[in-house]
Amino acid sequence: MNQQGHMESYGQPQPGYQGYQQFAYNNQHTAGVPTSQYGPYNGPVQGYEPTAAPQGPLRPTSGAPPTSLPPSTAAQSTAYNQYGQGDIQNGPAMTDQMQRFPVSQSYMPGGQPIAYQQYAPSPSNAQHLPNQMAAMQISGSTSNAPPPVSQSYGPPTSHRQTTASFPPTGPAVYTQYSTPLQNISSSIPQAGNPPQHPFPGQTVPASTYTSPPTSTGLTGMNLPPPPGVSRPTAMHGPPLPGQSQTGFPPSQPPTGHYPPQPNHRPAAPQTGMPGVVPGPPTQGFQVHPTQPSQGFIPQQNGSFGQMRAPQPNYAAPYTGTPSYSSQPQSQQKRLDPDSIPSPQLNELPPQQKTRHRIDPDAIPSPIQVIEDDKSNRGSEPFSTGVRGQVPPLVTTDFVVKDQGNSSPRFIRCAAYNLPCTSDMAKQCQVPLTAVIKPLATLPADEAPPYIVDHGETGPIRCNRCKAYMCPYMQFIEGGRRFQCAFCSCVTEVLPHYFQHLDHTGKRMDYYDRPELSLGSYEFLATVDYCKNNKIPNPPAFIFMIDVSYNALKSGLVHLLCEELKTLLDYLPREGNAEESAIRVGFVTYNKVLHFYNVKSSLAQPQMMVVSDIADMFVPLLDGFLVNVNESRAVINSLLEQIPEMFGDTRETETVFGPVIQAGLEALKAAECAGKLFIFHSTLPLAEAPGKLKNRDDKKLINTDKEKVLFQPQTNFYSNLAKECVARGCCVDLFLFPNQYVDVATLGLVTYQTGGSVYKYTYFQAQADGERFLNDLHRDVRKVIGFDSVMRVRTSTGIRATDFFGSFYMSNTTDVELAALDCDKAITVEFKHDDKLNEDNGAQIQCALLYTSCSGQRRLRIHNLSLNCCTQLADLYRNCETDTLINYFVKLAYRGVLSNPTKTVRETLINQSAQILACYRKNCASPSSAGQLILPECMKLLPVYLNCVLKNDVLQPSAEVSTDDRAYTRQLAISMDVAETSVFFYPRLLPVHKMDVDSDDFPVAIRCSEERLSKGGIYLLENGLNLFIWVGMNTQHDLIQSIFNVQSFGQIDSAMSALPLLDNPYSKKLRSMVDMIRAQRPRFMKLMIVKQDDKMEVLFKHFLMEDKSASGGASYVDFLCHMHKEIRQLLS
Ligand SMILES: [Zn+2]
């Protein structure tokens, strides 16, 4: 295509343009931002002169007055007495804690007669799994490999043809800018850090493991309490005689997302549902014959030990299962796959006789754990006032009340009881890790963090460690000084911040100040917290659109330009501001770059072409970044004309590096932070900085060189990323590839600048437009902080040593983020550097300094206090497996940059085996070595770990592309706990069991083919994929109601949207799909899969409990393998 021709058509001479070379932005190469730019953030605090500054007014972001924040003391104390959970969790060290924790003090007034539960000998909180040898019916030997994920389905998505033509006005302003080619180094790509816990691998493939028949199985043994394990009896059921049961009426129904499901039997056939087919028999949980006939179900949480999170006196959900604690033997469930010959052995086919089969219903069920947590913990708010509480699971719908610790929506930990010594930590191998999501979106019924303005003196901080004022700081000497909870240093209270203490030592203004009473809040930052001590300009968004042949042909450019016209009305705004402060700019590119002047005073946009892309610069300042409302006419005109302008292009080559450089230079010139939205279709083969070659080579899979596939092929982009971070330039990348584009390299800048990668393989506007536009909308509109730095401070004894996520670090403590949005999480690992203390616990403070969408500089503070323990049993009782898995995913996905995937898989297995073996050795009751005993809080570790091991990144099937693996790797590395949870173990909902009269979803079933009924319809989602699977025997009525056809055979599996039918089943299912999509950060395209259809193999890829086509073990086989690993460690 003739660029010059376009230039002649569109260019106009413009004032200031000729002088462009006088601007100094051409060759500005700025080194990384020195940390000193954040002087007060990292360094000494200024402004401690005793000025009579006004007392910091509160600026709540919502309408509620700040004083109403924490509920009244009286109400709180009542609530806590009812549950007493804090007392249990904290142990008997309450007095000391009260000194340390003014927060919990108010909620725990003196004289707590029922605060301490009676401790009584109780059975181990282990899970003893039964020796059930029923024949398994897993038919999961799917020999077919799944086809590529990217399929083209979808309804016609209409997009308006842009008919306006670009008016040929004005003379050309095209100038050839020639500068010498940059010397592009091509040294070896940087490898990531190796996994933290290398362990010599034992290389028994899980899929070939056969359990040796050895030890004797035990059932129903009455065990003494293990040493060091003492637990409140109330955890196991109703209160003991004399214990108060008040305050929690047993009749109170849980208000969680799901209705209570006593005993979790298969739901009765739904009333009013046509064509309902009962689920397969395997959906029920069999009552073990040795169980007492009290409605006790083997899979019930609590049946294998204590509840996941202690809830003494929490009577309601347990009314049907009395007296666990008095019948310890009834809880002993043991799995000893090695010990007992299967009673069904003779009934098995000959090839199965060599193996003992385990009843899948007898091994820990993710669904059971999820449902138990929902019914146990979803009905009451989770109040954060007590140290070290394990929150409800991410799958439970619950309300959080901030009472001095951050909501689990902001911080979630793998362990809420940290071991006191590093020796203990090494022994148990449980990673001490937190997943932090600083800008997480809260539900509508939870107030966003309050904004505190301390005026020109800025936030109050510890003089020594610079920790921010928080509920853990202890005011002393009548309030004149405070002692830091993190470093113990004593700091003078500034006169304007002084306040008298009440008789308990608490400041009188405790409830008026979020920073004294809440776990999460924000400070307005002063100019000292700004780069170069200058208040930042509002950020900018630059849309950079590939206009090469592929992008035009797929319909992308038309679709995007049409959408941008309306999308620009939804740029993020500050609070109730009438319009967004964010300015926008536009660039198109193929082998050359086209900049557009869209200044409001122009009648038509002007294009400027830069064809010498070797040393990128921006040919215009004035008119490139504009206010949308002021320049709307010119912008709309541009968006109308771009598809026309390039409609007949034959240019197939693109550049990529210069595109990012151009955006970066534009932000530099405008002296603002911002985000580039790059819409890109091909491998950048054109001669330019950052040019790439096709180096895809699937033969490297399972070799020592496999890591190369995840590494960038040049360090050009690493260097560029560094510069982007220093300048607050975040890059979001929307990829539309028809072949290999090297996501590992193209995504690097995105990954290191806190951006997001989206990938639409074989994109066609009609089929994939809905997904793309939904993603784009959400991406443009979401809450985002620019030019951010995150620092995690800890109390003495532990420190943050490792960080995982989409960011850049130039030193060991500051997580630098060109931008951070509401979806991004950062996983932090802590290590001991001293002993911890049970009385003091451990405190974490995460401070995120960022620029808001209006250019306001702010600090968001999250605080969390954890318990510390000297008994390993306490640690294992207060763990969170979902968070542990999140950490393992990130550890593994970083590990593949420098290790063969086999090594990474073995490292995970070994660390997990050590965790479970340590429990077995130190916490579980003495028993046969042949028994697999799992800690209650970690009983899903094997099944979830197996899902991670089987994922395409670590164990790809033949059809998975190198780009898909790199893409998944980059996505997962910034996922929060809820996302990793569903991504690795998908949600599978029996649609035919939905209750059309309720807002609830049907109870999910386990991800295994044997759980699917031929007469059923199922919905499966994992945050990225959404399927509806239809069994071939589904009743015609139901098919008619949902698909508007008469029979199974007539269902069109190419549809990507359900027909809009006016009946309760269609409405309910469509509303379920909408709700699920709304819960996830990315839009999921719907795929219809019919039983035995060729697409079914793709669906089966997500049935994680089954053996996978790529050789991944079934859950049962993997559990046996883990058992063997544990036994080897114990022997
Ligand atoms: Zn300090």
Side-chain angles (χ1 to χ4, degrees):
M1 151 172 159
N2 186 347
Q3 291 304 330
Q4 198 127 14
H6 286 297
M7 288 315 304
E8 283 166 3
S9 303
Y10 309 118
Q12 274 181 355
Q14 45 167 326
Y17 175 57
Q18 293 92 333
Y20 109 86
Q21 281 178 324
Q22 290 155 17
F23 294 109
Y25 50 71
N26 192 358
N27 279 313
Q28 277 181 350
H29 291 293
T30 311
V33 184
T35 50
S36 62
Q37 285 192 343
Y38 304 102
Y41 186 65
N42 298 307
V45 181
Q46 302 170 5
Y48 271 80
E49 303 82 23
T51 55
Q55 196 159 341
L58 294 173
R59 302 205 346 202
T61 49
S62 75
T67 44
S68 70
L69 263 182
S72 76
T73 306
Q76 282 311 314
S77 62
T78 311
Y80 273 89
N81 281 339
Q82 285 163 3
Y83 303 112
Q85 50 190 342
D87 310 312
I88 298 305
Q89 298 256 339
N90 283 333
M94 188 54 66
T95 323
D96 289 327
Q97 284 167 23
M98 287 173 69
Q99 292 229 310
R100 291 283 302 182
F101 290 92
V103 171
S104 56
Q105 202 167 26
S106 64
Y107 308 135
M108 307 260 179
Q112 303 167 14
I114 61 165
Y116 291 92
Q117 302 298 329
Q118 291 183 34
Y119 285 67
S122 56
S124 154
N125 61 338
Q127 178 169 22
H128 297 253
L129 300 164
N131 234 324
Q132 297 193 350
M133 292 296 170
M136 256 174 30
Q137 296 180 353
I138 295 179
S139 53
S141 57
T142 49
S143 55
N144 298 328
V149 181
S150 50
Q151 299 294 331
S152 301
Y153 297 104
T157 310
S158 63
H159 57 267
R160 203 153 57 85
Q161 285 285 336
T162 48
T163 50
S165 63
F166 214 79
T169 53
V173 290
Y174 175 80
T175 312
Q176 187 76 31
Y177 300 100
S178 74
T179 41
L181 271 174
Q182 269 185 340
N183 197 9
I184 304 162
S185 79
S186 58
S187 62
I188 299 166
Q190 270 186 313
N193 297 329
Q196 297 297 300
H197 312 288
F199 192 90
Q202 282 131 35
T203 58
V204 183
S207 52
T208 61
Y209 170 71
T210 333
S211 50
T214 46
S215 67
T216 318
L218 298 173
T219 50
M221 216 171 110
N222 194 355
L223 296 170
V229 180
S230 60
R231 288 179 296 107
T233 52
M235 286 179 186
H236 295 279
L240 294 176
Q243 274 185 319
S244 170
Q245 224 188 142
T246 57
F248 198 85
S251 60
Q252 184 170 344
T255 55
H257 202 64
Y258 288 61
Q261 297 284 334
N263 296 347
H264 297 278
R265 292 177 185 284
Q270 307 289 335
T271 51
M273 162 80 86
V276 166
V277 174
T282 47
Q283 283 172 0
F285 295 103
Q286 297 173 9
V287 178
H288 194 277
T290 61
Q291 300 307 321
S293 57
Q294 290 160 336
F296 180 78
I297 306 302
Q299 291 291 327
Q300 190 87 15
N301 198 352
S303 62
F304 304 136
Q306 83 166 79
M307 287 169 46
R308 192 187 147 277
Q311 297 280 327
N313 287 349
Y314 207 113
Y318 289 99
T319 45
T321 56
S323 301
Y324 285 7
S325 54
S326 62
Q327 299 186 16
Q329 67 271 29
S330 71
Q331 301 171 50
Q332 304 299 316
K333 301 291 293 179
R334 293 166 186 282
L335 171 67
D336 190 355
D338 301 346
S339 62
I340 298 184
S342 167
Q344 286 93 0
L345 202 59
N346 292 331
E347 300 159 24
L348 290 177
Q351 69 272 20
Q352 287 186 15
K353 283 188 182 178
T354 53
R355 305 174 58 131
H356 297 295
R357 308 303 293 183
I358 298 165
D359 179 1
D361 283 333
I363 59 180
S365 156
I367 305 306
Q368 190 72 47
V369 171
I370 287 169
E371 291 302 317
D372 285 348
D373 196 72
K374 278 176 184 165
S375 53
N376 293 340
R377 308 201 63 188
S379 56
E380 279 297 308
F382 177 71
S383 298
T384 69
V386 178
R387 187 172 82 186
Q389 288 180 100
V390 183
L393 296 180
V394 286
T395 40
T396 297
D397 199 7
F398 61 102
V399 176
V400 180
K401 289 198 170 148
D402 185 340
Q403 293 182 341
N405 285 295
S406 277
S407 162
R409 304 189 207 288
F410 295 123
I411 309 182
R412 236 171 217 282
C413 294
Y416 285 83
N417 264 38
L418 304 183
C420 276
T421 65
S422 59
D423 283 349
M424 271 176 80
K426 274 187 199 123
Q427 191 184 357
C428 70
Q429 287 287 316
V430 175
L432 309 180
T433 182
V435 180
I436 308 177
K437 199 176 176 187
L439 298 178
T441 308
L442 299 181
D445 50 355
E446 292 175 22
Y450 285 71
I451 300 179
V452 181
D453 184 357
H454 282 318
E456 59 190 26
T457 55
I460 311 293
R461 305 174 70 175
C462 167
N463 264 349
R464 185 158 79 187
C465 73
K466 308 300 172 199
Y468 295 85
M469 180 51 64
C470 70
Y472 315 142
M473 301 296 189
Q474 185 73 45
F475 285 87
I476 54 175
E477 295 177 22
R480 288 189 299 276
R481 307 169 92 191
F482 69 89
Q483 183 169 28
C484 178
F486 300 91
C487 73
S488 300
C489 178
V490 173
T491 299
E492 297 281 335
V493 174
L494 294 179
H496 77 269
Y497 197 67
F498 175 80
Q499 180 59 261
H500 292 287
L501 309 182
D502 69 11
H503 67 285
T504 65
K506 199 172 65 187
R507 279 173 63 120
M508 305 290 281
D509 59 354
Y510 176 82
Y511 290 121
D512 300 335
R513 291 190 175 275
E515 77 275 19
L516 297 181
S517 51
L518 297 177
S520 300
Y521 43 87
E522 293 202 333
F523 289 116
L524 279 190
T526 60
V527 71
D528 298 328
Y529 293 81
C530 302
K531 268 184 185 168
N532 306 318
N533 287 348
K534 259 179 80 181
I535 297 288
N537 289 320
F541 282 177
I542 304 177
F543 297 91
M544 315 184 85
I545 306 166
D546 177 349
V547 287
S548 67
Y549 178 78
N550 278 336
L552 267 297
K553 188 168 164 257
S554 68
L556 167 66
V557 176
H558 276 92
L559 185 69
L560 173 60
C561 289
E562 188 59 32
E563 189 68 18
L564 280 178
K565 287 185 216 161
T566 49
L567 181 55
L568 294 177
D569 291 333
Y570 297 99
L571 299 177
R573 291 170 224 208
E574 192 78 77
N576 298 321
E578 283 204 356
E579 64 173 30
S580 173
I582 291 175
R583 289 173 296 162
V584 297
F586 301 90
V587 171
T588 56
Y589 66 94
N590 39 47
K591 264 188 350 192
V592 297
L593 274 77
H594 325 105
F595 293 81
Y596 297 93
N597 185 342
V598 283
K599 198 174 176 178
S600 59
S601 56
L602 295 175
Q604 284 294 331
Q606 295 170 342
M607 176 204 254
M608 265 153 281
V609 177
V610 177
S611 59
D612 182 354
I613 31 71
D615 197 359
M616 189 38 76
F617 59 90
V618 180
L620 78 165
L621 263 184
D622 189 32
F624 180 66
L625 293 177
V626 297
N627 174 292
V628 173
N629 285 339
E630 289 169 10
S631 290
R632 185 174 299 276
V634 194
I635 291 172
N636 281 349
S637 171
L638 172 68
L639 294 170
E640 290 278 334
Q641 292 170 56
I642 285 174
E644 297 301 318
M645 242 192 299
F646 299 99
D648 57 352
T649 184
R650 304 186 68 81
E651 182 58 69
T652 55
E653 289 199 339
T654 58
V655 296
F656 186 72
V659 179
I660 298 178
Q661 286 175 321
L664 174 62
E665 294 300 326
L667 294 178
K668 270 191 205 173
E671 295 184 331
C672 67
K675 192 193 250 196
L676 314 182
F677 296 81
I678 303 181
F679 305 89
H680 189 81
S681 67
T682 62
L683 194 66
L685 297 168
E687 198 55 54
K691 173 188 172 180
L692 300 179
K693 57 179 189 288
N694 188 338
R695 46 104 189 220
D696 187 17
D697 185 1
K698 285 172 98 177
K699 287 197 293 294
L700 298 181
I701 292 174
N702 287 326
T703 71
D704 285 353
K705 287 188 180 162
E706 185 172 2
K707 60 192 175 198
V708 173
L709 299 176
F710 297 111
Q711 295 167 351
Q713 61 171 286
T714 157
N715 66 359
F716 171 85
Y717 291 100
S718 318
N719 296 332
L720 185 56
K722 215 181 289 182
E723 209 185 337
C724 285
V725 171
R727 285 294 180 159
C729 171
C730 171
V731 178
D732 274 2
L733 181 57
F734 293 78
L735 287 170
F736 306 87
N738 288 338
Q739 54 196 344
Y740 179 73
V741 289
D742 199 345
V743 172
T745 306
L746 291 189
L748 188 75
V749 177
T750 296
Y751 171 56
Q752 296 202 327
T753 59
S756 306
V757 180
Y758 299 84
K759 184 162 159 286
Y760 310 89
T761 312
Y762 305 120
F763 179 83
Q764 287 300 323
Q766 285 207 337
D768 307 295
E770 183 188 21
R771 179 160 80 99
F772 163 58
L773 294 182
N774 273 283
D775 285 344
L776 178 63
H777 258 267
R778 196 173 194 285
D779 196 65
V780 166
R781 299 169 67 170
K782 67 185 169 188
V783 171
I784 181 169
F786 296 92
D787 214 356
S788 315
V789 188
M790 189 183 98
R791 170 77 76 91
V792 178
R793 289 180 175 81
T794 48
S795 54
T796 313
I798 54 162
R799 65 194 165 87
T801 54
D802 213 345
F803 301 85
F804 304 82
S806 299
F807 53 74
Y808 177 78
M809 291 185 79
S810 57
N811 59 40
T812 55
T813 52
D814 292 323
V815 177
E816 297 174 39
L817 299 130
L820 176 71
D821 64 52
C822 56
D823 296 328
K824 298 283 188 309
I826 293 144
T827 300
V828 184
E829 186 177 13
F830 301 95
K831 290 248 163 70
H832 286 80
D833 57 8
D834 203 348
K835 275 188 178 161
L836 294 169
N837 173 316
E838 279 181 294
D839 293 342
N840 294 342
Q843 285 73 41
I844 299 169
Q845 183 176 78
C846 164
L848 177 80
L849 175 63
Y850 72 97
T851 301
S852 77
C853 63
S854 67
Q856 207 173 49
R857 201 70 172 150
R858 292 188 195 155
L859 281 149
R860 181 169 285 200
I861 313 293
H862 296 299
N863 301 287
L864 187 66
S865 59
L866 302 171
N867 284 335
C868 299
C869 61
T870 53
Q871 300 297 326
L872 283 169
D874 291 329
L875 181 146
Y876 282 101
R877 251 204 313 268
N878 294 283
C879 283
E880 234 249 349
T881 299
D882 291 323
T883 306
L884 190 62
I885 289 292
N886 181 283
Y887 166 82
F888 277 149
V889 168
K890 294 177 184 187
L891 181 72
Y893 284 11
R894 189 170 70 186
V896 297
L897 287 173
S898 46
N899 296 282
T901 49
K902 182 165 172 274
T903 310
V904 172
R905 287 197 304 268
E906 286 165 2
T907 303
L908 290 190
I909 291 174
N910 281 312
Q911 187 172 354
S912 301
Q914 287 189 46
I915 291 171
L916 297 175
C918 174
Y919 173 82
R920 174 61 195 266
K921 189 173 169 192
N922 297 286
C923 308
S925 52
S927 53
S928 156
Q931 288 172 346
L932 176 60
I933 303 180
L934 301 171
E936 177 66 22
C937 291
M938 290 189 190
K939 67 181 178 187
L940 297 180
L941 181 57
V943 60
Y944 286 164
L945 177 67
N946 191 34
C947 296
V948 175
L949 297 173
K950 287 160 71 171
N951 189 272
D952 288 335
V953 173
L954 293 183
Q955 194 166 9
S957 56
E959 284 73 17
V960 173
S961 71
T962 302
D963 273 345
D964 276 332
R965 297 178 73 199
Y967 177 61
T968 302
R969 196 188 79 83
Q970 290 201 358
L971 281 187
I973 218 122
S974 56
M975 281 183 179
D976 71 0
V977 180
E979 285 177 88
T980 48
S981 167
V982 76
F983 182 68
F984 289 96
Y985 191 94
R987 178 157 57 157
L988 181 56
L989 302 170
V991 169
H992 54 282
K993 290 191 176 178
M994 64 191 181
D995 179 358
V996 295
D997 297 323
S998 155
D999 288 338
D1000 296 330
F1001 288 3
V1003 174
I1005 62 165
R1006 294 168 65 173
C1007 288
S1008 174
E1009 190 177 359
E1010 72 174 271
R1011 312 266 166 189
L1012 302 177
S1013 160
K1014 282 187 176 185
I1017 297 178
Y1018 299 85
L1019 184 153
L1020 183 146
E1021 66 107 1
N1022 73 345
L1024 285 184
N1025 305 89
L1026 177 63
F1027 298 93
I1028 288 180
W1029 181 92
V1030 188
M1032 56 173 56
N1033 294 348
T1034 304
Q1035 298 271 327
H1036 291 183
D1037 288 356
L1038 189 56
I1039 288 177
Q1040 179 75 48
S1041 299
I1042 290 174
F1043 297 103
N1044 204 24
V1045 293
Q1046 288 176 352
S1047 69
F1048 176 80
Q1050 291 174 304
I1051 297 172
D1052 175 13
S1053 60
M1055 73 171 82
S1056 73
L1058 295 166
L1060 308 177
L1061 304 176
D1062 188 18
N1063 69 68
Y1065 312 103
S1066 173
K1067 284 179 182 168
K1068 170 76 182 175
L1069 180 55
R1070 285 184 286 116
S1071 115
M1072 272 171 62
V1073 169
D1074 289 345
M1075 285 168 74
I1076 289 169
R1077 280 175 172 161
Q1079 286 172 358
R1080 307 297 178 204
R1082 286 165 189 255
F1083 186 86
M1084 291 177 279
K1085 187 170 151 179
L1086 176 63
M1087 295 182 68
I1088 308 291
V1089 176
K1090 293 160 75 175
Q1091 188 180 6
D1092 285 353
D1093 194 65
K1094 65 178 190 302
M1095 292 304 299
E1096 194 184 21
V1097 74
L1098 179 58
F1099 171 80
K1100 285 180 179 171
H1101 187 62
F1102 297 94
L1103 298 176
M1104 300 308 295
E1105 293 196 22
D1106 298 344
K1107 210 169 163 175
S1108 78
S1110 53
S1114 71
Y1115 175 20
V1116 170
D1117 285 346
F1118 184 72
L1119 194 61
C1120 291
H1121 179 61
M1122 282 300 287
H1123 190 189
K1124 189 182 166 193
E1125 295 278 325
I1126 293 166
R1127 286 170 58 169
Q1128 278 179 354
L1129 289 171
L1130 292 173
S1131 62

